[in-house]
Short mmCIF file of all heavy atoms in Angstrom, two decimals:
data_model
loop_
_atom_site.label_atom_id
_atom_site.label_comp_id
_atom_site.label_asym_id
_atom_site.label_seq_id
_atom_site.Cartn_x
_atom_site.Cartn_y
_atom_site.Cartn_z
N ASP A 1 0.82 -1.22 0.00
CA ASP A 1 0.00 0.00 0.00
C ASP A 1 0.86 1.27 0.00
O ASP A 1 0.42 2.32 -0.46
CB ASP A 1 -0.94 0.03 1.20
CG ASP A 1 -2.05 -1.02 1.10
OD1 ASP A 1 -2.22 -1.60 0.00
OD2 ASP A 1 -2.72 -1.27 2.12
N SER A 2 2.06 1.17 0.52
CA SER A 2 2.98 2.32 0.57
C SER A 2 3.88 2.39 -0.66
O SER A 2 4.83 3.18 -0.69
CB SER A 2 3.83 2.25 1.84
OG SER A 2 3.03 2.29 2.98
N ASP A 3 3.62 1.54 -1.63
CA ASP A 3 4.40 1.50 -2.88
C ASP A 3 5.88 1.17 -2.67
O ASP A 3 6.74 1.64 -3.42
CB ASP A 3 4.26 2.82 -3.66
CG ASP A 3 2.84 3.07 -4.11
OD1 ASP A 3 2.17 2.11 -4.55
OD2 ASP A 3 2.39 4.24 -4.04
N LEU A 4 6.16 0.35 -1.67
CA LEU A 4 7.53 -0.08 -1.45
C LEU A 4 7.77 -1.50 -1.98
O LEU A 4 8.90 -1.86 -2.29
CB LEU A 4 7.88 -0.02 0.05
CG LEU A 4 7.83 1.36 0.69
CD1 LEU A 4 8.10 1.26 2.19
CD2 LEU A 4 8.81 2.31 0.03
N VAL A 5 6.69 -2.29 -2.05
CA VAL A 5 6.78 -3.69 -2.48
C VAL A 5 5.69 -3.97 -3.51
O VAL A 5 4.59 -3.42 -3.42
CB VAL A 5 6.60 -4.64 -1.26
CG1 VAL A 5 6.45 -6.09 -1.68
CG2 VAL A 5 7.78 -4.50 -0.29
N ILE A 6 6.03 -4.82 -4.48
CA ILE A 6 5.03 -5.29 -5.44
C ILE A 6 5.16 -6.81 -5.56
O ILE A 6 6.18 -7.38 -5.18
CB ILE A 6 5.20 -4.65 -6.85
CG1 ILE A 6 6.60 -4.92 -7.40
CG2 ILE A 6 4.88 -3.18 -6.83
CD1 ILE A 6 6.78 -4.48 -8.85
N GLN A 7 4.10 -7.43 -6.07
CA GLN A 7 4.15 -8.86 -6.33
C GLN A 7 4.19 -9.08 -7.83
O GLN A 7 3.37 -8.52 -8.56
CB GLN A 7 2.93 -9.57 -5.73
CG GLN A 7 3.00 -11.07 -5.88
CD GLN A 7 1.81 -11.79 -5.28
OE1 GLN A 7 0.79 -11.19 -4.98
NE2 GLN A 7 1.95 -13.10 -5.12
N LYS A 8 5.19 -9.84 -8.27
CA LYS A 8 5.36 -10.14 -9.69
C LYS A 8 5.69 -11.61 -9.85
O LYS A 8 6.62 -12.10 -9.21
CB LYS A 8 6.55 -9.35 -10.26
CG LYS A 8 6.25 -8.06 -10.91
CD LYS A 8 7.52 -7.62 -11.66
CE LYS A 8 7.56 -6.14 -11.83
NZ LYS A 8 8.82 -5.67 -12.38
N ASN A 9 4.93 -12.28 -10.69
CA ASN A 9 5.21 -13.69 -11.01
C ASN A 9 5.40 -14.56 -9.76
O ASN A 9 6.31 -15.38 -9.70
CB ASN A 9 6.44 -13.81 -11.91
CG ASN A 9 6.31 -13.01 -13.18
OD1 ASN A 9 5.22 -12.90 -13.73
ND2 ASN A 9 7.41 -12.44 -13.64
N GLY A 10 4.59 -14.36 -8.76
CA GLY A 10 4.67 -15.17 -7.54
C GLY A 10 5.76 -14.75 -6.57
O GLY A 10 5.94 -15.38 -5.54
N ASN A 11 6.50 -13.71 -6.91
CA ASN A 11 7.56 -13.21 -6.03
C ASN A 11 7.19 -11.84 -5.51
O ASN A 11 6.53 -11.05 -6.20
CB ASN A 11 8.89 -13.07 -6.78
CG ASN A 11 9.53 -14.39 -7.07
OD1 ASN A 11 9.44 -15.33 -6.29
ND2 ASN A 11 10.19 -14.49 -8.21
N TYR A 12 7.65 -11.55 -4.31
CA TYR A 12 7.53 -10.19 -3.77
C TYR A 12 8.87 -9.52 -3.97
O TYR A 12 9.93 -10.12 -3.73
CB TYR A 12 7.16 -10.23 -2.28
CG TYR A 12 5.77 -10.75 -2.05
CD1 TYR A 12 5.55 -12.10 -1.77
CD2 TYR A 12 4.66 -9.91 -2.14
CE1 TYR A 12 4.26 -12.58 -1.57
CE2 TYR A 12 3.38 -10.38 -1.95
CZ TYR A 12 3.18 -11.72 -1.67
OH TYR A 12 1.91 -12.19 -1.49
N GLU A 13 8.83 -8.28 -4.44
CA GLU A 13 10.07 -7.55 -4.68
C GLU A 13 9.87 -6.07 -4.39
O GLU A 13 8.74 -5.58 -4.31
CB GLU A 13 10.58 -7.76 -6.10
CG GLU A 13 9.65 -7.28 -7.19
CD GLU A 13 10.17 -7.62 -8.58
OE1 GLU A 13 10.25 -8.81 -8.92
OE2 GLU A 13 10.49 -6.66 -9.31
N LEU A 14 10.97 -5.38 -4.24
CA LEU A 14 10.91 -3.94 -3.95
C LEU A 14 10.62 -3.16 -5.22
O LEU A 14 11.09 -3.51 -6.31
CB LEU A 14 12.24 -3.46 -3.37
CG LEU A 14 12.66 -4.05 -2.02
CD1 LEU A 14 14.00 -3.46 -1.58
CD2 LEU A 14 11.60 -3.82 -0.96
N THR A 15 9.87 -2.09 -5.08
CA THR A 15 9.69 -1.13 -6.17
C THR A 15 10.96 -0.28 -6.24
O THR A 15 11.86 -0.41 -5.39
CB THR A 15 8.48 -0.22 -5.89
OG1 THR A 15 8.75 0.54 -4.70
CG2 THR A 15 7.20 -1.02 -5.74
N ASP A 16 11.03 0.59 -7.22
CA ASP A 16 12.19 1.49 -7.30
C ASP A 16 12.29 2.34 -6.03
O ASP A 16 13.38 2.51 -5.47
CB ASP A 16 12.11 2.39 -8.54
CG ASP A 16 12.31 1.60 -9.83
OD1 ASP A 16 12.90 0.50 -9.78
OD2 ASP A 16 11.88 2.10 -10.89
N MET A 17 11.14 2.86 -5.56
CA MET A 17 11.15 3.65 -4.33
C MET A 17 11.51 2.76 -3.14
O MET A 17 12.26 3.17 -2.25
CB MET A 17 9.79 4.32 -4.10
CG MET A 17 9.81 5.23 -2.88
SD MET A 17 8.32 6.22 -2.68
CE MET A 17 7.12 4.99 -2.29
N GLY A 18 11.02 1.53 -3.14
CA GLY A 18 11.36 0.59 -2.07
C GLY A 18 12.85 0.31 -2.02
O GLY A 18 13.44 0.19 -0.95
N ASP A 19 13.47 0.24 -3.19
CA ASP A 19 14.91 0.01 -3.24
C ASP A 19 15.68 1.19 -2.67
O ASP A 19 16.67 1.01 -1.94
CB ASP A 19 15.35 -0.27 -4.68
CG ASP A 19 16.78 -0.75 -4.76
OD1 ASP A 19 17.13 -1.72 -4.06
OD2 ASP A 19 17.57 -0.12 -5.52
N LEU A 20 15.23 2.41 -2.97
CA LEU A 20 15.87 3.61 -2.38
C LEU A 20 15.75 3.60 -0.87
O LEU A 20 16.72 3.87 -0.15
CB LEU A 20 15.23 4.88 -2.94
CG LEU A 20 15.50 5.22 -4.40
CD1 LEU A 20 14.62 6.38 -4.85
CD2 LEU A 20 16.96 5.55 -4.59
N VAL A 21 14.55 3.29 -0.39
CA VAL A 21 14.31 3.24 1.07
C VAL A 21 15.16 2.14 1.69
O VAL A 21 15.80 2.32 2.72
CB VAL A 21 12.81 3.05 1.37
CG1 VAL A 21 12.58 2.77 2.85
CG2 VAL A 21 12.02 4.28 0.92
N PHE A 22 15.19 0.98 1.04
CA PHE A 22 15.98 -0.16 1.54
C PHE A 22 17.44 0.23 1.75
O PHE A 22 18.03 -0.07 2.78
CB PHE A 22 15.88 -1.33 0.56
CG PHE A 22 17.03 -2.29 0.65
CD1 PHE A 22 17.13 -3.18 1.72
CD2 PHE A 22 18.03 -2.30 -0.31
CE1 PHE A 22 18.20 -4.06 1.82
CE2 PHE A 22 19.09 -3.18 -0.21
CZ PHE A 22 19.18 -4.06 0.85
N LYS A 23 18.05 0.89 0.76
CA LYS A 23 19.47 1.25 0.86
C LYS A 23 19.74 2.15 2.05
O LYS A 23 20.74 1.98 2.76
CB LYS A 23 19.94 1.89 -0.44
CG LYS A 23 20.05 0.90 -1.58
CD LYS A 23 20.38 1.55 -2.89
CE LYS A 23 20.41 0.51 -4.00
NZ LYS A 23 20.45 1.09 -5.31
N LYS A 24 18.86 3.11 2.31
CA LYS A 24 19.05 4.01 3.45
C LYS A 24 18.79 3.29 4.76
O LYS A 24 19.53 3.47 5.74
CB LYS A 24 18.15 5.24 3.32
CG LYS A 24 18.45 6.11 2.12
CD LYS A 24 19.87 6.64 2.19
CE LYS A 24 20.17 7.54 1.00
NZ LYS A 24 21.53 8.01 1.00
N VAL A 25 17.75 2.48 4.81
CA VAL A 25 17.42 1.74 6.03
C VAL A 25 18.54 0.76 6.35
O VAL A 25 18.98 0.64 7.50
CB VAL A 25 16.06 1.03 5.91
CG1 VAL A 25 15.84 0.06 7.05
CG2 VAL A 25 14.93 2.05 5.85
N GLN A 26 19.02 0.06 5.33
CA GLN A 26 20.11 -0.89 5.54
C GLN A 26 21.35 -0.19 6.09
O GLN A 26 21.99 -0.68 7.01
CB GLN A 26 20.45 -1.62 4.24
CG GLN A 26 21.53 -2.67 4.43
CD GLN A 26 21.92 -3.32 3.13
OE1 GLN A 26 22.05 -2.67 2.09
NE2 GLN A 26 22.11 -4.63 3.17
N SER A 27 21.67 0.96 5.54
CA SER A 27 22.83 1.72 6.01
C SER A 27 22.65 2.11 7.48
O SER A 27 23.58 1.95 8.29
CB SER A 27 23.00 2.96 5.13
OG SER A 27 24.08 3.72 5.58
N LEU A 28 21.48 2.61 7.83
CA LEU A 28 21.21 2.99 9.22
C LEU A 28 21.26 1.78 10.15
O LEU A 28 21.88 1.83 11.22
CB LEU A 28 19.85 3.68 9.32
CG LEU A 28 19.41 4.08 10.74
CD1 LEU A 28 20.39 5.05 11.37
CD2 LEU A 28 18.00 4.64 10.70
N VAL A 29 20.65 0.69 9.76
CA VAL A 29 20.65 -0.53 10.58
C VAL A 29 22.08 -1.03 10.77
O VAL A 29 22.46 -1.44 11.87
CB VAL A 29 19.74 -1.61 9.96
CG1 VAL A 29 19.96 -2.97 10.61
CG2 VAL A 29 18.28 -1.20 10.07
N ASN A 30 22.91 -0.97 9.73
CA ASN A 30 24.30 -1.41 9.84
C ASN A 30 25.07 -0.55 10.85
O ASN A 30 25.83 -1.08 11.67
CB ASN A 30 25.00 -1.36 8.48
CG ASN A 30 24.52 -2.44 7.54
OD1 ASN A 30 23.84 -3.37 7.94
ND2 ASN A 30 24.86 -2.30 6.28
N VAL A 31 24.89 0.76 10.81
CA VAL A 31 25.57 1.65 11.75
C VAL A 31 25.10 1.37 13.17
O VAL A 31 25.90 1.23 14.10
CB VAL A 31 25.35 3.14 11.40
CG1 VAL A 31 25.83 4.05 12.51
CG2 VAL A 31 26.06 3.49 10.10
N LEU A 32 23.80 1.25 13.36
CA LEU A 32 23.26 0.99 14.70
C LEU A 32 23.70 -0.37 15.22
O LEU A 32 24.01 -0.51 16.40
CB LEU A 32 21.74 1.10 14.69
CG LEU A 32 21.19 2.50 14.39
CD1 LEU A 32 19.67 2.47 14.29
CD2 LEU A 32 21.66 3.51 15.41
#
């Protein structure tokens, strides 16, 4: 609903915006 994930061909994957958010979240989680 937040346009971060979509379902394609039976798989769940990140949208382009989801990928941008993922990279920042991953970086923050790694530092913490």
Side-chain angles (χ1 to χ4, degrees):
D1 290 347
S2 299
D3 296 319
L4 298 176
V5 170
I6 57 172
Q7 185 179 15
K8 266 192 205 173
N9 304 325
N11 287 325
Y12 292 95
E13 61 184 66
L14 297 180
T15 63
D16 290 339
M17 184 172 68
D19 190 53
L20 290 171
V21 171
F22 157 75
K23 288 174 182 168
K24 297 299 181 183
V25 169
Q26 183 184 41
S27 178
L28 177 61
V29 168
N30 289 347
V31 169
L32 295 176

